[in-house]
Amino acid sequence: MLELALKGSKKYYGWMTLLLGVIGGGFVFYLWQFNFGLGITGMSRDVSWGFYIAQFTFLVGVAASAVMVVLPYYLHDYKAFGRITILGEFLAVASVTMCILFIFVDLGQPMRVVNVILYPTPNSVLFWDMIVLNGYLFLNIIVGWKVLEAERNGIAPPAWVKPLIYLSIPWAVSIHTVTAFLYCGLPGRGFWLTAILAPRFLASAFAAGPAFLILLCLLIRKLTKFDPGKEQIQSLAKIVTYGILMNVFFLVCEVFVVFYSQIPEHMDHMKYLFFGLHGHGVLVPWMWTSVGLMLLAIILLVNPITRQNESVLAVACLAVFAGTWIDKGLGMISGGFVPSPLHHVNEYVPTIPEIIITLGVYATGFLVLTALFKIAVSIKEEIAA
C-alpha cells in the first residue's frame, strides 16, 4: 500500500515539496542548536521547559483523541464511525511522531535519549511517558495498517488485531494522564499542583483532536472523491461540544479554587497569565484571546442550527483548535514556571530559531499525516469504485 503515497496530482507533490522545504529549514536551525546548545532558545534557569514541551503537551492530547472514534466504533458498535476510524488512528500516528520529535529537540543532545533506555528509572514519570508514547505509536500503526489492508482485500481483520484495538483505548487515556503527572510531580509549581490537571488535559484533548479531525474530513471531501459522511461529522461535532464545555468548566473551577483559597503562590500564576504581574504580561492578550475563542466556539456549537451548518462548524472547530492550542501550547507551560517559586518574574518568549525548529517538527508531522491520509483515502476510493 505504500506505493499509493507516491502517486498524486501536481498539487499533492507541490504540498509535499513545501513541507520538505520547511523540514529542511527546521533541520538547519536544529544543527545550529546541536552545535551551540539550548542557549539559542528562550529557555533559562527559571523556565527549563519551553515551546517544545508545550507543543508536545498539546499534541499528546490530539493523539489521545483518536479514542473518541475508536471507542464508539469498536466498543459500542457505532457503525457510522467505520468510515473515519482509520483517519483518527493515522492522525494519532502523526501526532505521536511530532511528540517524540519535540522531546528529541528539547533534550538538546540526541545521546540523552539513549540514556533513558540504557539507564531505565521506573520511579521516573518521564520513563513511563516514553513507554506509553512509543507503545501508543506502534499500536496505532499496527492496528490502522492491518485494518486498512483487510478493508482493501474485502476480508475481516486478523483476530489478533482486536485485543490490540481494545488495548489502545485505555492506552490513549494513559498517555495524556502520564503527561499531566509529569507536571503534578513538581510540588514547587502551584499552577500544576491540582488533581484535575489530568481531567483538564483530557477534556481539552477531546475537544481539540476531534475538531481538527472534522476540519480534515471537510478538506478531504473538498479535495477527493471520498466523503467521510455528514452523520460522522455531526457526531464528532457533538463530542467537540462536550469536550470544550468540560474544558472551560475545569478552567473556571481552577480559577475559583485559586482565588477562593487566597494562596499567593497559586494566585500569582493566574494573575500573571490574565492580568500581568510586576509589570510583566506578555501572555495576557494571548490568554484572553484563548478564552474568547473557546466561548465563541461554545456559542456556535451548543446551538444545533449553527452546529449543523458545516461552514459555521468549520469556524467553530478552528476556534476550538486555536483556543486550546493557546491555552496549552503557550499558557500552560509558561504559566507554571512564571513566576518562579521565589516570586521572581523571568518571562519566557520563544526565539526565532526555536520557532523555526518547531515549524520543522510540525511539517514532519504533516508530511506523515498527508502520506497516511493519501493511502487511506486512495483505498476508500478504490473500494467505492
Side-chain angles (χ1 to χ4, degrees):
M1 296 191 291
L2 279 174
E3 73 280 2
L4 295 171
L6 302 176
K7 299 174 185 173
S9 63
K10 286 183 181 177
K11 285 182 181 176
Y12 174 72
Y13 287 120
W15 169 245
M16 297 297 260
T17 305
L18 176 66
L19 290 175
L20 286 171
V22 178
I23 293 169
F27 185 67
V28 169
F29 277 84
Y30 172 72
L31 289 178
W32 180 19
Q33 178 184 292
F34 178 75
N35 286 318
F36 188 84
L38 290 169
I40 69 166
T41 71
M43 288 184 277
S44 62
R45 181 196 61 182
D46 287 345
V47 183
S48 52
W49 287 341
F51 208 47
Y52 300 145
I53 294 299
Q55 304 316 303
F56 154 77
T57 306
F58 177 73
L59 289 167
V60 169
V62 175
S65 70
V67 75
M68 287 291 98
V69 289
V70 171
L71 192 149
Y73 180 57
Y74 288 107
L75 277 191
H76 298 282
D77 201 26
Y78 182 55
K79 298 291 186 189
F81 272 178
R83 290 176 72 83
I84 59 170
T85 302
I86 190 70
L87 301 182
E89 287 166 339
F90 282 169
L91 174 59
V93 170
S95 300
V96 177
T97 302
M98 287 186 275
C99 291
I100 293 171
L101 285 175
F102 274 121
I103 292 176
F104 186 82
V105 297
D106 182 75
L107 287 174
Q109 296 294 319
M111 285 306 292
R112 290 173 186 159
V113 178
V114 181
N115 285 338
V116 180
I117 302 165
L118 292 178
Y119 308 102
T121 49
N123 59 337
S124 165
V125 179
L126 189 61
F127 170 77
W128 290 107
D129 208 29
M130 181 202 71
I131 298 289
V132 293
L133 277 178
N134 283 289
Y136 192 62
L137 176 64
F138 287 114
L139 277 175
N140 278 286
I141 289 175
I142 293 169
V143 170
W145 199 260
K146 295 308 292 183
V147 169
L148 190 63
E149 191 176 53
E151 192 175 336
R152 189 186 198 189
N153 295 330
I155 58 175
W160 57 265
V161 171
K162 213 151 196 177
L164 297 183
I165 293 169
Y166 294 141
L167 180 63
S168 73
I169 294 171
W171 206 292
V173 178
S174 76
I175 62 171
H176 219 15
T177 304
V178 172
T179 309
F181 287 171
L182 275 174
Y183 299 109
C184 295
L186 301 173
R189 308 290 179 178
F191 188 62
W192 299 325
L193 205 60
T194 166
I196 66 164
L197 192 63
R200 192 177 161 197
F201 273 16
L202 288 169
S204 69
F206 296 157
F212 190 54
L213 189 55
I214 288 173
L215 293 171
L216 290 173
C217 286
L218 294 174
L219 194 63
I220 286 171
R221 179 193 283 165
K222 191 173 182 181
L223 298 178
T224 72
K225 296 174 184 173
F226 173 64
D227 183 3
K230 189 175 177 62
E231 181 189 345
Q232 290 79 354
I233 289 173
Q234 285 302 313
S235 297
L236 281 175
K238 289 173 187 168
I239 293 171
V240 176
T241 307
Y242 288 114
I244 195 67
L245 280 169
M246 290 306 296
N247 188 48
V248 172
F249 172 68
F250 286 145
L251 177 61
V252 172
C253 288
E254 292 276 32
V255 171
F256 175 80
V257 171
V258 163
F259 286 99
Y260 188 67
S261 64
Q262 292 286 301
I263 300 173
E265 289 82 2
H266 293 205
M267 288 194 297
D268 281 353
H269 295 285
M270 287 288 183
K271 286 179 181 174
Y272 168 70
L273 285 175
F274 289 98
F275 304 103
L277 191 68
H278 306 324
H280 300 280
V282 70
L283 286 174
V284 172
W286 287 96
M287 295 310 295
W288 284 111
T289 301
S290 169
V291 171
L293 287 170
M294 288 192 284
L295 291 177
L296 171 67
I298 287 173
I299 293 169
L300 296 177
L301 288 168
V302 167
N303 186 341
I305 297 172
T306 49
R307 190 178 64 235
Q308 288 167 11
N309 182 320
E310 290 191 348
S311 299
V312 179
L313 177 62
V315 173
C317 288
L318 280 172
V320 168
F321 194 78
T324 50
W325 179 82
I326 294 170
D327 183 31
K328 280 168 92 174
L330 288 179
M332 181 59 72
I333 307 304
S334 289
F337 280 114
V338 183
S340 71
L342 298 175
H343 291 267
H344 294 160
V345 177
N346 185 9
E347 286 194 299
Y348 164 77
V349 177
T351 60
I352 297 295
E354 211 172 345
I355 292 172
I356 294 175
I357 292 170
T358 299
L359 289 175
V361 173
Y362 267 107
T364 307
F366 274 96
L367 188 83
V368 172
L369 183 69
T370 306
L372 290 174
F373 271 34
K374 175 71 173 54
I375 294 169
V377 170
S378 297
I379 289 175
K380 298 277 186 187
E381 287 175 338
E382 269 182 28
I383 296 168

